[in-house]
């Protein structure tokens, strides 16, 4: 579903992604972890063309998302992306936030888009908030709306970049449970997260990144119980200490 081959990224003199090759199969859940500044956001953003790369290739669902002349807006509309900041449209209701993609991009009739949005809001437990505006919702609720909005485009893949990092601790669980449910339905997902319990329970593979290099790719039991790379060991013991 996602194939990365020899991906390199330079920010000027800074080598942010170093020869990254990896594959995500359909239905797999990958948790991407690593220290701050290791290149996780750069990599996941490159997967939907938000960030260009310097060399290599990235294919998502058969499409070269970094190819010359690709319609990047179309690619982005086809790959679900959930950010740390929810990025909802403040002047649109929850229902409109979720239905606007299908209406604006796919020209879905408004009625049908509203029904779809209501179904998706029910799925994330927020049907009763359809008429509310983003500033009337808690952070956890806004993030669940953001997930519903991404799902409205019926993407084959969902990418998450630290979706719970901006939330108060009591709201982390409600967002993770929506993500767990998606994973259980077989959605292909790449999640940058520091939620190690989620990683252990839900992921099929953990990718560990440091200094732009994908140092380890392992099933969660193996990654957490006996990480191979010393930097992965140090990262995990750091996380456990906190
Ligand atoms: P992570 O998400 O793992 O914390 P990032 O992918 O955001 O890491 O960043 C990786 C490295 O690239 C960091 O050292 C960061 O400072 C650098 N970087 C990120 N974006 C830019 C940019 N637009 N210009 C220059 N350097 C950047
Ligand atoms: Mg990041």
């Amino acid at each position: 579903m996602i194939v990365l081959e020899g991906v390199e990224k330079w920010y000027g003199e800074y080598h942010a992604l170093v020869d990254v090759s990896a594959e995500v199969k359909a239905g797999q859940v990958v948790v991407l972890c690593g220290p701050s500044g290791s290149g996780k956001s750069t990599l996941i953003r490159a997967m939907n063309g938000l960030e260009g790369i310097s060399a290599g290739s990235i294919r998502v669902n058969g499409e070269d998302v970094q190819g010359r002349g690709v319609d990047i807006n179309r690619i982005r509309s086809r790959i679900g992306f959930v950010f740390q900041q929810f990025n909802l449209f403040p002047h649109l209701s929850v229902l409109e936030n979720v239905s606007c993609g299908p209406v604006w991009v796919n020209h879905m009739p408004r009625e049908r888009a509203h029904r779809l949005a209501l179904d998706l809001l029910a799925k994330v437990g927020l049907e009763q908030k359809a008429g509310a505006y983003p500033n009337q919702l808690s952070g956890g609720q806004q993030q669940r709306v953001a997930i519903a909005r991404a799902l409205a485009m019926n993407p084959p893949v969902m990418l998450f970049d630290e979706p719970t990092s901006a939330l108060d601790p009591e709201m982390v669980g409600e967002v993770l449970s929506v993500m767990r449910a998606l994973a259980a339905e077989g959605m292909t997902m790449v999640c940058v997260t520091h939620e190690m319990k989620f990683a252990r329970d839900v992921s099929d593979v953990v990718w560990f990144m440091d200094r732009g290099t994908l140092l380890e790719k392992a099933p969660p039991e193996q990654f957490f119980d006996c990480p191979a790379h010393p930097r992965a060991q140090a990262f995990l013991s750091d996380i456990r200490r906190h």
Side-chain angles (χ1 to χ4, degrees), residues 62-131:
E63 234 168 335
D64 181 355
V65 301
Q66 293 279 346
R68 254 171 227 264
V70 297
D71 179 350
I72 201 60
N73 288 320
R74 199 177 61 83
I75 300 266
R76 282 178 205 162
S77 76
R78 304 253 317 110
I79 302 173
F81 202 109
V82 177
F83 302 84
Q84 185 172 337
Q85 297 303 335
F86 330 119
N87 296 317
L88 299 175
F89 295 115
H91 60 293
L92 296 182
S93 71
V94 163
L95 186 75
E96 288 161 338
N97 263 282
V98 177
S99 58
C100 67
V103 171
W104 294 344
V105 181
N106 297 345
H107 310 293
M108 186 184 279
R110 196 166 292 270
E111 278 282 294
R112 215 178 111 209
H114 283 183
R115 281 199 304 276
L116 169 68
L118 283 173
D119 284 347
L120 291 168
L121 287 169
K123 190 178 171 128
V124 301
L126 288 172
E127 211 176 4
Q128 75 288 1
K129 296 289 186 189

Side-chain angles (χ1 to χ4, degrees), residues 23-39:
E23 204 174 318
V24 184
K25 297 197 165 65
Q28 272 192 331
V29 177
V30 172
V31 164
L32 173 56
C33 65
S36 178
S38 56

